[in-house]
Each structure stands twice: as C-alpha cells, then as structure tokens.
Amino acid sequence: MEKEVYSICFMCSFRCPIKVKVKDGQVTWIEGNPHVAGMEGSLCPRGAAGHSLLYDDQRLQSPLIRTGKRGEGKFRKATWDEALDMVGEKLSAIIKEHGGHSVVLGERAQLATHVSKTFLKAIGSPNHFTHDAICKGSVNTACRSIFGYVDSQMGFDYKNTKHIVLYGRNIFESLSVKEVNNLMYAMEHGAKMTYIDPRVTVTATKAHRYWMIRPGTDLALNYALINIILNERLYDATFVDKWVLGLKELQDFINPYTPDWAEQETGIPAGAIIELAREAGKDRPSVIFHFGYRGASHQNEIYFRRSILILNALIGSIESKGGLFFKKGPSEEDGQPARKLTQQKFPEIDLPRFDKVGTKDFPLPDPNHGVGQILPYAILNQDPYPIKALIAYRFDPIMSIPDSTLTKKALDELDLILAIEINYSDIAWYADVVLPESTYLERTDCVQQVNGLKPQMFLRKQAVAPRYDTRDGVMILKQIADRIGTGKFFPYESIDELVRWQLENTGFTMEDFESKGFVTYGKKQIFWDRGEGIKFKTPSKKIEFKSSLLEDAGFESFPDYKPVAKPDSNHFRLVVGRVALHTHVSTQNNLYLNELCSENVLWINKDRAAELGINNGDSVEVASSVGKGQISVKATDLIHPETVFLLHGFGHEAESAERSCRKGINDALLQENLTDKIGGSPALHDTFVTVTPVEY
C-alpha cells in the first residue's frame, strides 16, 4: 500500500515542511512540501538524509542502564518499565531530599518544549534551559532592548529585499530551504548581497561584496556605517522621527567613529564602508542588515547585535517590504493559537534559577531559555543551591557547552544523568539511564504554531511505525511524571489525544492538516501601518536606541568601543561554524552525511602556516588554556591571518556511533567558558589557541 504523509522535518532546528512517501510501511522518499510557498518541493542534504536516520542500525534501539563508570559506555538493555521505574525512584529520592529545584532539564527547543517545561513546573523547578540560549541568547536580549520583541518574533522578507548584509550569517550552508529559495529569487531579480566574515564561506562566494574583516571588529564597522548614515542624512527621517527614542544621544556618541578610524580596526577600506552606507540609503527601506541566527561570538555580543538593529531602524526597514517584520499571530485574524500544557496552574516557585537569570548576576537574559553554559559552575559551586539531576533531552552539554573537561567534571557530581535521545550522543554515552525517542518520521508531535506575515499551524504526522523499541518524547515525560506523583499535569494517554486537546478552540481539527500539512488563519500578508500602527513592546512603545531595558539594569546603551588586540605571533583566534551537511552535534554519524563529510579539519592561513613550518594536510596539535587535540590542517588563503577555523560538532566519543567516533576534534574541548554577561550568550570566538606541528 502506498501513501503520502505531510509532516515536518527535524533534521535541524528550522523544521521545514515535508512530504513523505511510504510504501508497505517503509519510507521511500522525502521532499519539501510542494504546497508551501518557498519550498518548491526542495530539501537540503540533511532533510534528504532523514531516510538514513530512520533506518540506521547505529541509533538507540532500546532503553539502557549504565553498568560501568560514566563515560565507559558499558550499558545493559532494559525494559521500559524497568528503566522508567529506576528514573522515577531516583528522581523521587532526589526531590524528597533536595527539592524539585535540584533537577535541571536542558533541551534543544522543539514542538514539545511546553511538555518539558510542564514537567519541571510540576515538581517546583525553575531550571529549564534550551540550546537556543547557547546559540543566540544575546540576539534575543538585543532585540528586546530595542523593539521589546525576542528575535524569534521577528522575520525577514528575503524575497522582496534589494540589499542584504550578512555578518557571518552563512545562509547558504547553515541553511533554511525557504529562506535560501526566497533570497535566491531576490538576487535573481537584482538584489545585492554583502557578506562579512573572517573566512570565505560558500555564502561569501555568492556575494556581490565580500569583506574579510578582522575577527571581533564587526562593532567598529557598524559604528562607522551608523556615522555615515547619520551625518550624510541617509536615514529614513520620517520613520525615525516618528518611532525612534535616543537619536540625539546616538548622534553625539557616534561622531568619533569615522570610516577612517574603522579602517584601522577592521581592515576594511574607509571608501568601501562609505559606499555600503550610501547603497543602503539608496535602496531603503527594502534593506536587511541581518541580525544573525547564532549570536554567540564575543563578550560584547549584545552591543554588536544592537548595532545591527539600529542600522535597520535608521534605514526604515522595519515593517517594510523587503525588510524586517514582526511575526503576526492568530489574534491578528481574530483566531486562537494552539493550547499548551504550561497554561495550567502550578505550584508557585519562589527560588532563583540555577543560572541566576532574573537576579543581579544576570538581570537581562531571557528566562525562557536561560544561560545554559553556567550549568557546570552552578553544579560545582552549588550556587545558588545544589544541583543533583540533569535530564538531557536531545541536548548534549559535553559537546555544546564550552570547556568539555569542566562540563564532565561537573556531571560527575550529579546523582542522576538521564538522556532522552535518538542517537548515541556523548551525553547518552555518559548517562546513567538512556531512554530512546522515536525519530520524527515515527511519531506525531505537538502542533507547530507558525507566526509570520500570515499566521499558520503545521503538524508533524507519523509516517511509519517505530523500527525499534522507542517511544514519543511526550509519552516518556508523562510516564516519568506518573511515577513521581505529578501525572495529573499530563492529561492525555497518547500524542493524538494531546494534539486534539491543543486544537480545541482554534476552529481546526487534526483532519484539517491531512491535505496539505498545514492550516492558515487568513489569506493576506499582514504588514502593520508604518505611520501609526506598529506595536512595539518596549515601555515607551517606541524603538529604543537609548534602552530602558539596559539602563534600568545599570548598563550603557552606547558603550565606547574597545580596540581588539591582535594575537601574538604564536596564537590565533579560534572561530567555529557550520556546513550544509551537518546539524550541530547530531548528524555526524548519519550514514549518508558522514560519507560526504566525516571529520573536521583546522583552517589556517597558508602564509601563517608556512611561518610555522606547516603544510596543507599536516597533522598539528591545537591547544588552548583548557584543552588540546590533534587534527589535520587545511592551509589556505581563504581565512584571515589572525584566525583558525573548525567545523562544529565533530570529535565524538560515543563508541557505538562508530562512523563519527574520534573523527576530528570537538571544538568545545578547546573553547573557554566565557559569557556575554549582559546578553547571555557564550563567547565562542574569544578563545585563543596555539598550533604546533606534530612530529612523528
């Protein structure tokens, strides 16, 4: 029997809508959903490799209980009841002795995140955090400081833009299919792209203008761009006069930061900076200065991201065709969103979070995501209280939090590490109990509320039965809750029952998703009236260059620029990034993708390599203050001399993931655990390393 199932991919975080073809209970083909504008039936390599994930005999196949030391990989298979009972008993004992707040759950944000949050709220724990915090916490804070919205509530009208400026946003490799298709359409119809990065990426090769900027100096570039836009009055005066607070303060502040000054700091010619500013002024308001997806490079990250947002506001791109927009929800069409379990009434929690977000230590980061890289310090220092249990839900702290050695040291202090996983990740390899989740092709999931210019809902629909002894994540959490006395907060017996509950009061049913995979609240795109109708969420209801969020917490809106020192002759700034073939740390063992990209190499400027006696392909030792390892070198002129580069996500230690085990080096092993104390992101590019030839 053949059928077609409309669903949602989960080979990365973008969740592209897909169509799955099934014959006799087997997936035969996956493609982009042809009914969704911008997808055009296309899919990226990771999405196409979902078939390989489904049929992989090296993924988790049953519950596991550790029998050896942590990290040894010695497990025994267990039944679900045995494994769930063990988790329930251990959690109950921990909660009884130390309180529910001693339990932390970290996850990769997903459609069922409301279920994870419900699990913690029910036991009285404030300690939920997501991978988003480690990826883009400072972007979130920057957006709130200027517009009152978080970054995920904002979107880009790629298809209609006239000029897009990307700061290391490697959009053609760390990609979303719809975004790329829409941007390619714009470029085919005359749009220009400026790309700024210390390394030549695939995106750089597609750009009309590429600048190999000195790493860490992007804020200097933006200060100079703002200077020219203001002093030559290239900005949208009508829009700025109506909506912006703090223009005079910005003008007074920015005057010393000229293009000539920026040239000395960034290495970009002053004339080129002036040219970009004038082009943006000419093409406004259909210009995008992209504020980035991952925004976790430096300890001043929030101010760099704010400078990008200020450029957009000056150009008047907010709520403009070809610019930035605020995502519109169902209420704009008099509709109701899908319900979430977090809307229930829970026991009150009056304790701080493990990362102290919301206290004087971290007053500004978003508590919906937290500051995940603080976890090792919170455990080791027992500050603000002892942490005794970690639930890692498809999130690997060993490979995602900087300084893996420190992270492992902290994990060893815990009484329980539970991994809910699909693959043999390094945290699964380190866990006490491993509970295997079904793949996205084997399960229905919670409703995806997709706000945008047209609010919609999508549904991930089960395409085939589970191949192995795996379960839906929402059922795993419910079954643990049943064992620790909080089952009443999970009033469903199946995922279908939960989805039907979510859809109550929306006017839609599960059956409405069958024909196309999604439902739409309205027919027309919604742009707010730029004259009177933009609904900013700042206290002033304006765009706040001078930010009440920052200044009420004791921080400056416009900090003086601090010059970025050049590393000495023996050191390089370590930068990391993505490739189109892999997602973070989760796909390196995928059969198809591993064959195409099986390990990372260290990019180094060929002239600097020659000075060190290093040739292309040589093995080197790369070392930082916290870790070291060996890796092969790619000596090239496609990277700035002050920088070396690693693909993120390699160097796995889980031996059951045979294809990826010990292939390449784990960048988190080398990275120092540094933080933007205002915005919340880790400073992943503020680690310096030495590179030494390996002698045999």
Side-chain angles (χ1 to χ4, degrees), residues 89-100 102-103 123:
E89 290 169 7
K90 285 182 173 288
L91 276 179
S92 294
I94 289 168
I95 293 168
K96 182 177 180 180
E97 182 174 352
H98 301 283
S102 66
V103 180
I123 63 173

Side-chain angles (χ1 to χ4, degrees), residues 103-372:
V103 180
V104 175
L105 189 153
E107 68 178 329
R108 184 173 156 195
Q110 53 159 327
L111 302 181
T113 289
H114 69 108
V115 182
S116 307
K117 290 183 175 182
T118 295
F119 183 90
L120 289 180
K121 288 177 180 290
I123 63 173
S125 174
N127 292 325
H128 176 272
F129 74 95
T130 73
H131 175 268
D132 283 23
I134 296 172
C135 179
K136 56 192 182 79
S138 295
V139 182
N140 175 311
T141 308
C143 289
R144 285 187 287 118
S145 76
I146 287 186
F147 301 122
Y149 289 88
V150 302
D151 58 296
S152 61
Q153 294 171 317
M154 300 182 66
F156 306 95
D157 185 12
Y158 296 101
K159 191 171 185 177
N160 295 298
T161 196
K162 293 180 180 178
H163 198 143
I164 184 168
V165 182
L166 301 164
Y167 301 80
R169 173 67 183 98
N170 188 7
I171 200 166
F172 289 113
E173 291 190 87
S174 180
L175 63 92
S176 162
V177 174
K178 282 181 63 176
E179 289 183 359
V180 167
N181 282 342
N182 285 332
L183 180 55
M184 288 173 65
Y185 175 91
M187 293 173 70
E188 288 167 358
H189 288 79
K192 290 185 177 181
M193 181 167 72
T194 295
Y195 185 72
I196 304 155
D197 197 313
R199 181 177 71 102
V200 178
T201 65
V202 170
T203 305
T205 68
K206 309 298 182 187
H208 298 84
R209 175 191 286 114
Y210 166 65
W211 288 337
M212 185 180 283
I213 193 169
R214 275 192 66 224
T217 65
D218 304 73
L219 180 60
L221 168 62
N222 283 356
Y223 276 0
L225 286 170
I226 293 169
N227 180 300
I228 294 300
I229 288 170
L230 286 175
N231 287 326
E232 295 192 4
R233 296 191 65 81
L234 301 172
Y235 61 93
D236 185 335
T238 301
F239 180 83
V240 169
D241 290 347
K242 170 66 180 178
W243 292 111
V244 167
L245 286 183
L247 181 66
K248 183 181 185 304
E249 291 88 343
L250 176 64
Q251 178 76 72
D252 294 341
F253 166 80
I254 211 70
N255 280 330
Y257 299 109
T258 65
D260 288 331
W261 164 84
E263 178 177 348
Q264 301 305 309
E265 184 70 5
T266 66
I268 300 170
I273 296 172
I274 294 169
E275 183 180 36
L276 174 58
R278 290 173 178 170
E279 285 182 11
K282 176 177 173 290
D283 291 335
R284 64 175 173 85
S286 299
V287 176
I288 296 171
F289 286 90
H290 201 298
F291 55 67
Y293 192 71
R294 191 197 75 186
S297 298
H298 305 292
Q299 291 167 84
N300 67 343
E301 193 74 19
I302 185 172
Y303 290 112
F304 166 47
R305 301 297 163 178
R306 273 177 52 84
S307 71
I308 299 174
L309 299 171
I310 288 171
L311 283 166
N312 282 295
L314 289 173
I315 292 299
S317 67
I318 311 304
E319 282 296 303
S320 290
K321 283 271 188 181
L324 281 65
F325 59 84
F326 299 107
K327 296 179 180 178
K328 314 307 187 295
S331 63
E332 294 288 329
E333 297 284 358
D334 296 322
Q336 293 292 325
R339 292 198 290 180
K340 295 183 178 181
L341 290 176
T342 46
Q343 293 168 323
Q344 303 174 82
K345 186 175 182 180
F346 297 94
E348 191 162 333
I349 301 172
D350 57 4
L351 290 166
R353 293 172 49 89
F354 77 91
D355 50 20
K356 298 185 180 178
V357 168
T359 73
K360 62 181 178 60
D361 293 66
F362 281 108
L364 298 186
D366 188 349
N368 284 312
H369 299 290
V371 181

